[in-house]
């Protein structure tokens, strides 16, 4: 057996000599002889068996996978392992590559780095794979090649430097804005370049729990200082194709990438009679938002790195996660004399055309007079007819118009330079509310934790609304993280490879819509387990609680993020 192994090894060595003597054409000239210098100390029977031509290979080598042309090229060799036309994929040893003019190769990625081999211009497996592992490898390989074929050139502000003429750089204004170019909405950088905001929330030196605890101490010990951490965080963000940080991120990272962090939190300044919903009809509401805008927006009105302002985060509108009650019922349940309750009572009469008969039919009730309206059970205001459903939605829009109208006016007065990025809806509540947001905001922002983005809603209502959208929170969690993954939102998938695949599907489907200009992943770190709750722990993060990245996720995200500008311009196939 040992003699057979030695014989095969020497034959491989001879084959290498053959390849080295075959000129610069990648080993395809097989008519030359083996160099005459054969080591003198080889056993006679082995030396006598050395092939003089590649066609003389013994069966042990002839049966190995691949062909002689699949052997790695010499270091620095710029010719493909097999003839290929310009732009085609090829192999350069273990590297995937692209054929250029005159057969010169541009290397793309080293398949061997992942334990794969290059064959036919693709990375192929060398061992058994699960279905997810195979799909992840194939997609990563395809994206790397696509990105090498048409590389994205981005500037420090996230702008698309090599954008084609119809969407290329326009007028510089010094601040971020939105603009429709060639029929598609884009963010535009202060320098005038088109941009897609690709962000992550919670990028913070305070660590996974956003507080001074053992995990933050470990993070500080690992990096040595907050400045060193921020430098590393920026390198990771840019290396993974992100250009923006979102809410709950720390100050030390905000100046390094695009800043989409500020949430004004109007809800915390306005009375909430039920502890949940603010009463935007209180007389002091206008003064409240003007004071807030003066405090928060004026100091940053000249900041070119600021993307814009969020008003709030996931308020309770109809069809929300906080409560099953409609907004109309919640306002009706305010205490007697509360301004918002008085508005709700007046709205109910007006919506029915001041007709008690119409009111009773719509709400399926039997009021004897309008005097009974104020004491009617609040449960009556859960719509049981199409008419009642339409009235409930109309009331929510009425509340929203008051909320957004006064807030936007105050912000514009305090800061005329920056975008108003909406109020971070917790989902796509209903079309009329989204349309109202489009009338007030520069960008409509919403979270959408689902296996697929809200493309059906966008395709249905987007053309009429015709405003830019920002997906401000979305995520996928992996079972293989070892975390419970049951306390909070977001779909759960089996592995980190599945998370990478889900990321790619979600973004590609979303960003092909002409109204979508941004998506921000939730979040930087996992939600770690807590001693006070045995059910805690959610795999939201690009990294675990120990500051270690989930490589199958972030590698896929990086390739996807470098492709989105092209997908956005192409649109839905």
């Amino acid at each position: 057996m040992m003699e057979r192994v030695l014989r095969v090894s020497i034959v491989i060595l001879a084959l290498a000599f053959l390849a080295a003597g075959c000129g610069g054409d990648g080993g395809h000239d097989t008519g030359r002889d083996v160099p005459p210098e054969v080591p003198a100390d080889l056993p006679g029977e082995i030396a006598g068996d050395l092939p003089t031509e590649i066609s003389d290979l013994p069966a042990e080598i002839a049966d190995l996978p691949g062909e002689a042309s699949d052997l790695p090229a010499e270091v620095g060799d710029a010719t493909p392992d097999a003839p290929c036309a310009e732009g085609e994929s090829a192999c350069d040893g273990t590297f995937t590559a692209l054929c250029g003019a005159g057969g010169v190769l541009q290397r793309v990625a080293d398949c061997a780095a992942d334990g794969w081999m290059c064959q036919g211009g693709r990375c192929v497996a060398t061992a058994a794979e699960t279905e997810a592992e195979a799909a992840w490898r194939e997609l990563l390989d395809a994206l790397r090649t696509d990105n090498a074929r048409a590389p994205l050139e981005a500037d420090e502000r996230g702008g698309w430097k090599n954008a084609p003429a119809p969407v290329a750089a326009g007028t510089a204004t010094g601040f971020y804005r939105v603009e429709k170019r060639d029929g598609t909405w884009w963010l535009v950088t202060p320098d005038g370049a088109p941009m897609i905001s690709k962000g992550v929330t919670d990028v913070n030196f305070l660590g996974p729990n956003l507080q001074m605890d053992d995990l933050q101490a470990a993070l500080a010990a690992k990096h040595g200082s907050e400045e060193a951490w921020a430098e590393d965080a920026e390198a990771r963000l840019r290396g993974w194709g992100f250009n923006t940080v979102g809410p709950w991120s720390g100050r030390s990272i905000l100046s390094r990438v695009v800043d989409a962090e500020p949430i004004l939190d109007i809800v915390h300044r306005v009375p909430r009679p039920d502890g949940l919903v603010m009463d935007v009809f209180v007389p002091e509401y206008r003064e409240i938002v003007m004071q807030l805008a003066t405090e928060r927006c004026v100091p940053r009105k000249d900041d070119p790195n600021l993307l814009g302002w969020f008003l709030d985060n996931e308020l309770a509108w109809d069809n929300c996660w906080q409560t099953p009650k409609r907004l109309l019922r919640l306002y009706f349940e305010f205490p007697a004399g509360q301004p918002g309750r008085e508005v709700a009572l007046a709205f109910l009469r007006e919506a029915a055309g001041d007709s008690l008969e119409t009111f009773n039919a719509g709400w399926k009730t039997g009021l004897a007079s309008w005097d009974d309206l104020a004491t009617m059970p609040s449960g009556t205001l859960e719509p049981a007819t199409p008419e009642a459903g339409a009235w409930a939605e109309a009331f929510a829009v009425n509340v929203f118009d008051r909320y957004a109208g006064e807030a936007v006016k105050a912000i514009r007065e305090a800061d005329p330079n920056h975008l108003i990025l909406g109020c971070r809806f917790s989902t796509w509540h209903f079309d009329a509310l989204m349309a109202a947001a489009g009338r007030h905001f520069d960008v409509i922002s919403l979270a959408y934790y689902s296996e697929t983005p809200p493309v059906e809603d966008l395709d249905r209502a987007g053309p009429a609304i015709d405003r830019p959208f920002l997906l401000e929170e979305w995520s996928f969690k992996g079972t293989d993280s070892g975390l419970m993954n049951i306390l909070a939102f977001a779909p759960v998938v089996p592995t980190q490879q599945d998370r990478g695949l889900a990321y790619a599907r979600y973004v590609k489907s979303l960003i092909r819509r002409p109204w979508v200009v941004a998506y921000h992943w939730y979040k930087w770190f996992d939600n770690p387990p807590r001693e006070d709750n045995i059910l805690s722990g959610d795999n939201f993060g690009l990294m675990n609680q120990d500051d270690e990245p989930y490589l199958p996720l972030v590698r896929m995200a990086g390739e996807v993020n470098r492709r989105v500008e092209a997908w956005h311009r192409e649109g839905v196939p």
Side-chain angles (χ1 to χ4, degrees):
M1 178 64 181
M2 184 62 68
E3 180 179 334
R4 182 176 181 272
V5 171
L6 181 59
R7 184 186 301 274
V8 171
S9 300
I10 299 303
V11 169
I12 292 174
L13 178 62
L15 180 58
F17 290 162
L18 273 172
C22 288
D25 59 357
H28 297 292
D29 179 5
T30 59
R32 300 189 183 187
D33 295 332
V34 176
E37 294 80 14
V38 177
D41 57 348
L42 289 176
E45 67 272 23
I46 295 178
D49 286 343
L50 289 176
T52 58
E53 294 187 356
I54 290 179
S55 59
D56 294 333
L57 287 173
E60 296 98 319
I61 302 301
D63 290 339
L64 291 175
E67 300 177 357
S69 60
D70 289 329
L71 289 172
E74 291 183 51
V75 176
D77 194 346
T79 57
D81 295 346
C84 64
E86 185 175 351
E88 286 185 351
S89 298
C91 288
D92 183 8
T94 62
F95 284 79
T96 55
L98 291 175
C99 257
V104 176
L105 287 178
Q106 172 195 349
R107 284 181 169 182
V108 175
D110 186 4
C111 302
D114 287 289
W116 305 325
M117 61 184 291
C118 187
Q119 194 171 73
R122 299 179 297 111
C123 287
V124 298
T126 56
E129 293 179 311
T130 65
E131 184 177 345
E133 288 170 341
W136 184 88
R137 170 181 50 77
E138 291 170 1
L139 181 56
L140 182 76
D141 186 53
L143 286 170
R144 292 191 301 199
T145 299
D146 286 345
N147 285 331
R149 187 175 284 119
L152 170 71
E153 295 179 19
D155 61 33
E156 288 296 306
R157 298 189 184 279
W160 189 8
K161 290 173 60 177
N162 58 335
V167 297
T171 303
T173 63
F175 301 97
Y176 289 95
R177 66 185 192 272
V178 289
E179 190 172 287
K180 186 181 283 189
R181 295 182 178 179
D182 198 30
T184 298
W185 282 103
W186 295 86
L187 286 166
V188 179
T189 69
D191 302 319
M195 172 201 175
I196 298 294
S197 174
K198 296 165 272 192
V200 186
T201 73
D202 299 78
V203 185
N204 203 307
F205 187 58
L206 285 174
N209 290 316
L210 298 183
Q211 62 186 25
M212 301 299 291
D213 57 12
D214 290 345
L215 291 176
Q216 197 284 324
L219 191 67
K222 176 181 178 179
H223 292 278
S225 69
E226 184 166 1
E227 182 65 20
W229 169 84
E231 184 176 346
D232 184 68
E234 179 188 2
R236 283 172 159 176
L237 284 163
R238 294 192 185 278
W240 300 334
F242 294 103
N243 56 30
T244 304
V245 290
W248 313 293
S249 295
R251 291 184 179 179
S252 57
I253 192 66
L254 297 182
S255 63
R256 293 174 172 267
V257 290
V258 182
D259 177 2
E261 195 276 337
I263 301 176
L264 295 177
D265 286 321
I266 296 171
V267 67
H268 296 317
R269 301 284 188 102
V270 181
R272 287 179 284 172
D274 62 353
L276 176 64
V277 176
M278 57 180 160
D279 186 354
V280 297
F281 295 102
V282 294
E284 65 269 25
Y285 177 67
R286 178 178 300 174
E287 182 180 344
I288 289 172
V289 292
M290 290 182 66
Q291 179 65 30
L292 178 59
T294 299
E295 293 174 6
R296 295 285 305 279
C297 303
V298 169
R300 299 199 63 184
K301 66 183 180 67
D302 296 320
D303 185 351
N305 197 52
L306 177 64
L307 185 66
W309 302 100
F310 294 111
L311 275 62
D312 279 292
N313 185 60
E314 300 189 8
L315 301 177
W317 304 101
D318 288 5
N319 308 315
C320 66
W321 60 266
Q322 295 96 328
T323 175
K325 296 180 181 180
R326 296 293 191 103
L327 196 64
L328 175 56
R329 178 177 175 179
L330 292 171
Y331 266 68
F332 182 84
E333 290 176 346
F334 282 172
Q338 187 71 30
R341 174 176 165 82
E342 298 304 314
V343 170
L345 291 171
F347 174 86
L348 287 168
R349 289 190 65 161
E350 293 169 7
D354 206 29
S355 167
L356 199 60
E357 181 180 0
T358 300
F359 178 89
N360 285 334
W363 293 105
K364 291 190 174 297
T365 188
L367 298 187
S369 74
W370 286 117
D371 293 338
D372 299 328
L373 179 62
T375 58
M376 179 183 68
S378 64
T380 304
L381 297 179
E382 290 304 322
T385 67
E387 292 80 10
W391 294 336
E393 287 192 356
F395 179 78
V397 170
N398 186 32
V399 173
F400 180 85
D401 283 337
R402 165 74 174 176
Y403 160 73
E406 294 294 344
V408 169
K409 181 180 179 181
I411 296 168
R412 297 264 191 236
E413 289 180 3
D415 176 6
N417 299 322
H418 292 104
L419 295 169
I420 296 178
L421 302 174
C423 59
R424 300 174 64 87
F425 292 120
S426 64
T427 188
W428 186 287
H429 295 282
F430 58 94
D431 290 1
L433 187 63
M434 300 297 113
R439 294 193 295 269
H440 292 284
F441 302 147
D442 297 310
V443 179
I444 304 168
S445 55
L446 71 152
Y448 206 81
Y449 289 95
S450 179
E451 293 182 0
T452 57
V455 291
E456 292 185 4
D457 296 317
L458 286 166
D459 291 345
R460 179 189 64 253
I465 298 173
D466 198 23
R467 293 301 300 168
F469 280 79
L470 184 161
L471 260 289
E472 41 87 357
E473 283 185 33
W474 59 286
S475 196
F476 294 91
K477 303 184 286 188
T479 301
D480 65 349
S481 65
L483 298 173
M484 296 293 286
N485 288 329
I486 60 176
L487 276 188
F489 28 80
V492 179
V493 296
T495 69
Q496 299 305 310
Q497 283 84 4
D498 289 299
R499 289 182 85 200
L501 291 167
Y503 184 103
R505 287 191 298 268
Y506 195 102
V507 171
K508 186 175 184 179
S509 176
L510 175 71
I511 207 64
R512 285 190 179 277
R513 271 59 197 179
W515 312 281
V516 178
V517 297
Y519 56 89
H520 296 171
W521 172 268
Y522 183 83
K523 51 189 279 199
W524 188 242
F525 293 110
D526 282 338
N527 282 356
R530 302 196 314 268
E531 292 183 358
D532 62 345
N533 191 332
I534 61 171
L535 300 180
S536 63
D538 286 277
N539 178 215
F540 288 119
L542 297 177
M543 295 187 296
N544 64 22
Q545 67 179 39
D546 297 319
D547 196 42
E548 299 165 336
Y550 292 102
L551 291 177
L553 172 60
V554 298
R555 290 179 65 193
M556 183 66 76
E559 298 302 330
V560 169
N561 291 343
R562 284 183 276 272
R563 200 86 218 113
V564 298
E565 284 83 356
W567 287 338
H568 190 57
R569 180 173 176 261
E570 291 169 4
V572 179

